[in-house]
Amino acid sequence: MTTNTTKTLRHFLTLMDFSSAELRAMTDRAISLKQMQKAGEIYEPLKNRMLGMIFEKSSTRTRVSFETGMVQFGGGALFLSPRDTQLGRGEPIEDSARVLSKMVDIIMIRTFEHEKLETFAQYSSVPVINALTDMYHPCQLLADMQCYQENRGSIEGKTVAWIGDGNNMCHSYINAARQWGFKLKIACPEGYDPDAAIFAAAGDQVEIIRDPMTASIDADMVVTDVWTSMGQEEEQLRREKAFTGYIVDDKLMAQADTDALFMHCLPAHRGEEVSASVIDGPQSVVWDEAGNRLHAQKALLEFLMGQTPSL
Ligand code: CP
Ligand code: NVA
């Protein structure tokens, strides 16, 4: 097998760091890696390689998928929390980046300010992955796009309804609409719009429609997320009021195409942003979506480490 041995340092801070062709190829590769895994094939392109995982916020899926992926690839992963490292005691991010990248081969970070991730990447000599910031969650989109493709084929030209907060997930959906070529209809209450610059950059691929029922008409996919993201806990009551009526329930799903899929990055709050009948119902693909975090990120790790087999 020949491998892509290019040594150019690439980071994955947003979906816009890759070309549309690279992202689509990565989705195809994730589907192949999933099949290989299910067939019990041993494939260890990252033997003895180490992923550093910095988590300044909680995680279930992201941690488990990255750690498992590295082990399946023959390498290892280190969980680094600010509570136990000097990062939490004020060691500068620039110094931490220079030191860690002398020892590990690739680094993922989940943090608050997106700028912190950018600074880290600037000082890192190894690839850096955005594992969620207040602004973006690009890894989740790799899994979501894979999930759509597996269930319905190409998403190009389709319509996706985003119901809820104009948050980090919404921003990554806006970027995904540009990169995968679908229309995104965003239903968010006033005051909870996505970032104006991110929205404007997507041109007529995206549209804000306040009313969630209208936004969902004929949608090929309906997607939502929590109303209160990590770091916004003190706004919870205000947000519960503001998002009243923004629940994805059976009535809303009935507006969408009969073949529409429902996705949610999880964790979910049944009875808030989604009804139990929808998330646990026949149109929901949330468990496959979550499971795809493993395969999508294995394709990402392989790519960033220059190990994707050339065809
Ligand atoms: N969807 C997601 O990123 O889940 P975790 O917060 O559990 O990692
Ligand atoms: N918007 C959510 C996503 C969690 C995976 C948050 O940032 O908390």
Side-chain angles (χ1 to χ4, degrees), residues 21-91:
E22 284 172 333
L23 289 170
R24 290 167 199 228
M26 215 179 292
T27 303
D28 291 341
R29 180 65 183 156
I31 292 170
S32 301
L33 287 168
K34 184 172 177 176
Q35 285 161 357
M36 286 158 65
Q37 182 64 29
K38 290 207 183 308
E41 194 178 320
I42 306 289
Y43 173 59
E44 299 184 325
L46 302 185
K47 219 168 172 56
N48 295 323
R49 305 293 186 94
M50 188 61 89
L51 168 73
M53 306 190 298
I54 300 173
F55 280 100
E56 296 195 323
K57 290 175 175 173
S58 303
S59 169
T60 298
R61 282 144 286 267
T62 305
R63 178 181 177 180
V64 174
S65 53
F66 270 116
E67 199 163 331
T68 303
M70 281 305 291
V71 171
Q72 289 179 355
F73 270 173
L78 274 175
F79 176 75
L80 302 163
S81 98
R83 212 158 34 161
D84 321 301
T85 60
Q86 300 291 4
L87 262 170
R89 296 181 61 250
E91 182 165 13

Side-chain angles (χ1 to χ4, degrees), residues 162-173:
W162 171 271
I163 312 297
D165 194 12
N167 64 9
N168 47 6
M169 274 297 299
C170 180
H171 293 156
S172 284
Y173 260 91

Side-chain angles (χ1 to χ4, degrees), residues 12 80 89 100 159 179 208:
F12 184 58
L80 302 163
R89 296 181 61 250
L100 286 173
T159 301
Q179 294 285 43
I208 292 180

Side-chain angles (χ1 to χ4, degrees), residues 57 110 132-133 137 140 167-169 225-226 228-230 265-267:
K57 290 175 175 173
R110 169 167 288 196
L132 183 146
T133 62
H137 194 7
Q140 183 67 50
N167 64 9
N168 47 6
M169 274 297 299
D225 185 15
V226 293
T228 304
S229 286
M230 290 181 278
C265 64
L266 306 178

Side-chain angles (χ1 to χ4, degrees), residues 172-205:
S172 284
Y173 260 91
I174 293 172
N175 283 347
R178 296 170 65 186
Q179 294 285 43
W180 273 273
F182 59 84
K183 283 255 176 214
L184 183 67
K185 295 185 177 174
I186 301 168
C188 56
E190 298 224 25
Y192 295 91
D193 288 10
D195 176 84
I198 297 170
F199 179 78
D204 59 9
Q205 291 291 123

